[in-house]
Amino acid sequence: MTDTHPSCIFCNIIAGIAPAVIVYQNDDCLCLLPPEANAYGHTVIIPKVHCESLYDTPSEVLSALMTTCKHLAQHYRECINATGVNLLHASGIDAQQSAFHFHIHLLPRFTNDGIDAWPNLPVIHVDREVLLERLRVE
Ligand SMILES: [Zn+2]
């Protein structure tokens, strides 16, 4: 893959310039252990091409990323006895994206692991008919 950005930490990892603990890679994706883990087996999955967010990542790359997530999830179920998995992703500054190379956090889950990966979001009140008119995909 050649579409790399010199200032991007993930591109530098893919290029072998920056160090990383790589768990798995294939033609499309690289999976690494982040320096600070939030769960046992916490893994970050990135595409080998530089894409910033969900908005500019080609569908075939997204497909490869999700297939890789499934592969890892199944593997972690066997090798570390994970009983579940959360996939976390952010696209855009307002979604709290911090590294601007598309990435998915995979958090293996275990019985009584004490992690709350599903925050209590506020309930908002909207007119769903009006909203539907604005959101409907024709
Ligand atoms: Zn990059």
Side-chain angles (χ1 to χ4, degrees):
M1 300 293 175
T2 55
D3 184 23
T4 59
H5 289 211
S7 62
C8 172
I9 180 62
F10 288 143
C11 282
N12 285 328
I13 288 171
I14 292 161
I17 298 167
V21 180
I22 298 170
V23 176
Y24 172 73
Q25 61 180 313
N26 54 38
D27 289 345
D28 304 305
C29 307
L30 190 143
C31 309
L32 55 99
L33 302 184
E36 295 182 358
N38 299 122
Y40 188 74
H42 179 175
T43 303
V44 175
I45 295 92
I46 62 175
K48 286 188 173 177
V49 292
H50 182 87
C51 305
E52 183 175 304
S53 70
L54 183 65
Y55 300 110
D56 70 329
T57 303
S59 294
E60 60 270 20
V61 174
L62 293 170
S63 180
L65 285 160
M66 197 52 64
T67 298
T68 301
C69 286
K70 180 177 179 179
H71 181 64
L72 277 188
Q74 289 178 318
H75 179 63
Y76 289 0
R77 197 162 59 173
E78 296 167 10
C79 70
I80 56 175
N81 297 316
T83 54
V85 64
N86 288 112
L87 301 178
L88 304 178
H89 167 76
S91 277
I93 291 172
D94 290 336
Q96 300 172 286
Q97 183 176 5
S98 56
F100 291 89
H101 180 124
F102 185 100
H103 59 286
I104 298 170
H105 292 267
L106 186 152
L107 301 181
R109 300 299 304 273
F110 306 89
T111 303
N112 298 321
D113 63 12
I115 294 171
D116 182 3
W118 201 267
N120 286 318
L121 300 172
V123 175
I124 64 166
H125 300 283
V126 297
D127 184 326
R128 292 199 304 168
E129 292 300 318
V130 171
L131 183 61
L132 178 61
E133 287 303 310
R134 298 188 70 191
L135 295 181
R136 184 180 317 189
V137 179
E138 300 297 337

